[in-house]
Amino acid sequence: MFDLDRWTELADGLRTNPVRTLLTALGVFWGMFMLVVMLGFGDGLERGATRSMAGYATNAVYLWGGRTTLPWGGLAPGRYVGFDNSDTEALRQLPGVEHVAPRNQLGGWREGNNVVRGAKTGNYTVMGDVAELAHILAPIVVRGRFLDPLDVAERRKVAVLGDQVVQELFPYGEDPIGQHVAIRGIQFKVVGWIRSHANDDRSDRDNATIHLPFTTFQRTFGFGDRVGWFALTGAKDVPGSELEASVRRELGGRHQVNPEDNNAIGAFNAEKEFAKITALFTGIRFFVWFVGVMTLAAGVVGVSNILLIVVRERTKEFGLRRALGATPTDVVGMVVQEAIVLTAVAGYAGLVAGVVVLEIAARLIGTDHATMGTPTVDLGAALGAGLVLLIGGALAGVIPARHAAAIQPVVALHAE
Amino acid sequence: MIRLEKLNKSYPMADAPVHVLRDLDLFVAEGEYAAIMGSSGSGKSTLLNVLGLLDRYDSGSYTLGDTLIRDVSEREAARLRNQYIGFVFQSFHLLPFKTATENVALPLYYAGVPRRRRNELALQMLERVGLRERADHLPNQLSGGQKQRVAIARALVTKPRLVLADEPTGALDSQTSNDIMDLLASVNADGMTVLVVTHEHDVAAKMRRVIHLVDGRIASDRIQVPS
């Protein structure tokens, strides 16, 4: 393979018919180009989807109280299930649970303006939250900090504002930290300014939210010890569905709910969503590889066909070489090498062209497009494609090479 | 050098196999200069192919030098051809995209000789056939006679013990033919065994032995004084 002579022989062979060589190479080039570009855009889509979910812990579970539909322990159906602070403590003790964030919400929809700062007013979602929520929401802290455990323990009158809230209530360039906002007429000191990681309508909602310490919220707005709903995450190796089941069991037991009753406690489990999206992209990936490899295979078949013609045309030459001492293996080697080189060079050119196109596309798309992330091809995929190509090249050479090896010098030399 | 005993060769055909060589007995000593003659279909080309290990035979035996040639593998045949036999063809069979030197050096490539040495030997051989100054020419820049000289140089470059020429002058005019035959004679004078298949009496007249084939049998085999 590293014998210079073989390479000069090869170059001679390819040079004799450059147009044909080029056309043959084009098939493989195109296959590789398509594969790379499709992989790149598939990757970009996946990246976009993943980014829109960023900031949401993958095994987060959300639970809220509903209405019972089945009788249990002598209690008639139709009862409302409400959570309170004791539930929070119970869930914190539950094995497999990592972070528990009880949440309460004030007004929101159709409430009218509820927040005032100087001359400006706005209608925002006001939440009572604990410091642990940061593990579930994972916000970007623009300035200041998120709520901390002391805020909650000491019932401080502080607030963390979402990005949109800051933009609307504070003039551009003014630092909101240390300022006060009035929520339902009660003054809160701003300690943090956060922004959502995500890139969809959920992020808009998050950015229009004000977070107050949970305890402060309960006391100030008269919630007593009620808890609106729970957001919680499991330990690393606990899947969301398992976590949901065990938390449901615990809360169901504490509130006399029929274990069969799925409506009494509502739950949302992000794992299912993630699984759906993961499956979708596994499908897309498979499709891309399938189409790409098939296109590449078509190119390889093209190479094989051309080489068959080449072998036929060079019958006399192969016969002569055999007469002069070339073994059948030598001849097979020549043809297979030609096939591999042809596919490798064309494929590499396709790879490079594909990467160039992806780079240009990445520039055009930019980094903050909602659904399309930066298209890229990772090294593994490129190496995989390269391997497919080498195998394809060798396969392309096999059939023509066998024809070449079967050439009898006698027949070849007398074919005038 | 060559010993054939009761050699038979036939080709399968649609209705009945064609018996090309029939119980052929032939002995060629080292250093002989012989012509194999015969009309078309007499079996002379087949004989040359069998002698050149380009074709197999059905029965009998063929001994080349000290080696009994029977059921040799393709690989072994390739090695023996490369080492012991030089071929000269009617239509030269030079590779069109290679220079004279590269064409001459080709058998050495398959013999595993390093490139620098190959080119040295090829140039020496071109010198020997009087084409040193055409070393870098491509075949289509050479005349017929020159092409055949290059082909002869290629046949000689591995220093074979046997040179097999199949109608070497068939594509050449008479003057050039004479030159080529003189060249082959001088090759023979160097001690190489040379067998020439021809149907031209002028050519055969220049050889020291003439073997006549008719229908796959030796019809006559005589020693003569070259003209």
Side-chain angles (χ1 to χ4, degrees):
Chain A
M1 202 64 182
F2 297 103
D3 182 353
L4 183 66
D5 294 304
R6 295 188 69 156
W7 290 103
T8 50
E9 299 287 312
L10 183 81
D12 286 336
L14 295 177
R15 217 169 33 214
T16 40
N17 202 332
V19 175
R20 191 174 56 201
T21 305
L22 205 71
L23 286 176
T24 312
L26 200 65
V28 174
F29 172 89
W30 187 246
M32 192 66 179
F33 177 78
M34 289 297 288
L35 179 61
V36 169
V37 168
M38 288 196 302
L39 275 178
F41 279 98
D43 199 62
L45 267 179
E46 186 169 352
R47 200 176 292 252
T50 314
R51 193 180 47 201
S52 77
M53 297 187 299
Y56 297 93
T58 53
N59 64 350
V61 175
Y62 303 86
L63 297 117
W64 57 92
R67 215 173 157 189
T68 60
T69 53
L70 295 171
W72 182 254
L75 295 166
R79 192 163 46 91
Y80 286 98
V81 175
F83 303 136
D84 59 33
N85 288 347
S86 66
D87 291 321
T88 309
E89 287 315 307
L91 289 183
R92 284 195 170 126
Q93 307 303 320
L94 204 64
V97 173
E98 192 175 33
H99 299 293
V100 179
R103 305 192 75 182
N104 271 326
Q105 183 178 348
L106 193 66
W109 193 59
R110 281 192 173 177
E111 196 201 2
N113 291 337
N114 53 2
V115 183
V116 181
R117 195 261 165 175
K120 294 186 175 174
T121 60
N123 166 253
Y124 304 107
T125 310
V126 178
M127 305 286 304
D129 279 317
V130 294
E132 283 93 329
L133 186 72
H135 297 288
I136 298 157
L137 205 60
I140 301 169
V141 176
V142 182
R143 296 200 74 111
R145 58 176 175 82
F146 194 67
L147 297 172
D148 68 19
L150 276 178
D151 294 332
V152 178
E154 297 180 359
R155 295 199 182 93
R156 290 174 177 169
K157 287 209 166 143
V158 295
V160 173
L161 309 186
D163 195 44
Q164 193 190 329
V165 182
V166 174
Q167 305 295 344
E168 289 175 2
L169 292 186
F170 293 84
Y172 180 78
E174 189 182 347
D175 186 356
I177 307 300
Q179 309 285 330
H180 284 79
V181 291
I183 300 168
R184 282 202 182 165
I186 296 149
Q187 295 286 326
F188 288 86
K189 188 180 178 187
V190 178
V191 295
W193 169 7
I194 61 170
R195 181 184 296 150
S196 171
H197 255 295
N199 221 326
D200 55 8
D201 55 336
R202 259 189 297 192
S203 73
D204 294 342
R205 208 166 55 218
D206 287 347
N207 284 332
T209 296
I210 298 173
H211 303 268
L212 306 177
F214 190 70
T215 47
T216 317
F217 186 100
Q218 274 181 331
R219 172 164 295 186
T220 309
F221 300 115
F223 275 65
D225 66 349
R226 276 186 287 140
V227 172
W229 72 93
F230 288 105
L232 42 86
T233 61
K236 232 182 173 47
D237 49 344
V238 179
S241 50
E242 242 171 64
L243 185 68
E244 179 186 324
S246 79
V247 173
R248 237 180 212 286
R249 232 180 357 259
E250 171 72 15
L251 290 177
R254 291 174 59 80
H255 293 273
Q256 288 86 46
V257 171
N258 187 323
E260 308 280 300
D261 192 349
N262 286 327
N263 297 313
I265 297 169
F268 169 78
N269 166 8
E271 188 197 24
K272 287 176 202 156
E273 301 300 304
F274 275 91
K276 261 186 223 162
I277 288 170
T278 310
L280 174 68
F281 282 103
T282 308
I284 289 179
R285 203 169 275 269
F286 173 78
F287 175 76
V288 163
W289 274 98
F290 181 76
V291 172
V293 166
M294 283 303 156
T295 313
L296 212 53
V300 165
V301 169
V303 170
S304 195
N305 271 327
I306 292 294
L307 284 178
L308 269 177
I309 298 172
V310 167
V311 164
R312 179 144 300 179
E313 276 182 7
R314 292 170 74 185
T315 296
K316 217 191 268 184
E317 179 195 333
F318 288 130
L320 175 78
R321 285 175 186 274
R322 291 287 305 281
L324 296 183
T327 61
T329 320
D330 287 329
V331 173
V332 167
M334 270 180 79
V335 178
V336 170
Q337 189 183 7
E338 191 164 324
I340 291 179
V341 167
L342 209 57
T343 42
V345 169
Y348 183 72
L351 180 77
V352 170
V355 170
V356 166
V357 165
L358 289 183
E359 282 297 317
I360 293 170
R363 295 269 162 83
L364 294 181
I365 289 168
T367 51
D368 46 40
H369 194 272
T371 49
M372 188 73 198
T374 316
T376 54
V377 154
D378 59 59
L379 188 66
L383 287 180
L387 193 71
V388 167
L389 203 64
L390 270 187
I391 295 169
L395 286 178
V398 166
I399 296 173
R402 283 174 60 170
H403 278 252
I407 290 170
Q408 286 301 315
V410 179
V411 181
L413 293 174
H414 286 271
E416 293 297 329
Chain B
M1 186 73 228
I2 292 172
R3 183 189 300 279
L4 302 182
E5 283 167 358
K6 299 241 173 291
L7 194 90
N8 279 284
K9 167 80 183 169
S10 57
Y11 289 113
M13 283 292 172
D15 24 297
V18 178
H19 213 153
V20 189
L21 300 176
R22 300 161 186 264
D23 287 336
L24 208 71
D25 290 310
L26 179 67
F27 179 76
V28 179
E30 187 109 35
E32 275 205 62
Y33 189 46
I36 299 169
M37 291 200 71
S39 57
S40 160
S42 63
K44 59 184 194 306
S45 286
T46 305
L47 176 59
L48 198 77
N49 290 336
V50 170
L51 292 178
L53 310 183
L54 296 172
D55 211 343
R56 288 157 187 261
Y57 57 94
D58 302 333
S59 65
S61 73
Y62 167 28
T63 314
L64 172 67
D66 307 322
T67 316
L68 175 67
I69 308 298
R70 176 169 287 163
D71 300 329
V72 291
S73 67
E74 296 269 18
R75 169 172 287 275
E76 182 64 6
R79 191 186 65 80
L80 289 169
R81 281 198 293 269
N82 186 261
Q83 215 169 334
Y84 291 117
I85 304 169
F87 290 95
V88 178
F89 305 97
Q90 177 176 2
S91 46
F92 325 128
H93 287 312
L94 299 177
L95 296 187
F97 46 84
K98 286 183 175 292
T99 65
T101 315
E102 288 167 343
N103 266 292
V104 174
L106 197 57
L108 294 173
Y109 168 59
Y110 290 112
V113 177
R115 186 184 13 259
R116 187 184 289 268
R117 180 80 186 129
R118 273 203 317 262
N119 288 336
E120 263 172 43
L121 289 170
L123 283 175
Q124 276 175 27
M125 263 321 137
L126 284 173
E127 179 102 59
R128 167 82 177 74
V129 300
L131 283 178
R132 178 69 176 77
E133 74 283 0
R134 300 283 161 132
D136 295 326
H137 285 52
L138 291 172
N140 61 15
Q141 299 167 309
L142 301 171
S143 71
Q146 288 170 331
K147 283 183 201 168
Q148 196 59 300
R149 281 168 186 275
V150 173
I152 290 172
R154 182 180 63 193
L156 299 179
V157 77
T158 52
K159 304 221 178 337
R161 291 162 72 186
L162 175 64
V163 173
L164 296 176
D166 188 2
E167 305 276 9
T169 60
L172 303 175
D173 61 58
S174 58
Q175 178 53 47
T176 322
S177 295
N178 284 336
D179 296 346
I180 292 297
M181 290 317 294
D182 290 346
L183 180 58
L184 285 177
S186 79
V187 167
N188 174 249
D190 291 349
M192 250 175 242
T193 312
V194 177
L195 283 183
V196 177
V197 164
T198 184
H199 63 272
E200 293 174 58
H201 291 281
D202 295 353
V203 170
K206 292 176 186 295
M207 320 288 288
R208 285 205 300 271
R209 181 181 173 186
V210 179
I211 301 155
H212 229 98
L213 284 186
V214 176
D215 290 340
R217 289 196 180 86
I218 293 175
S220 74
D221 185 353
R222 58 196 163 74
I223 310 289
Q224 64 179 19
V225 178
S227 63

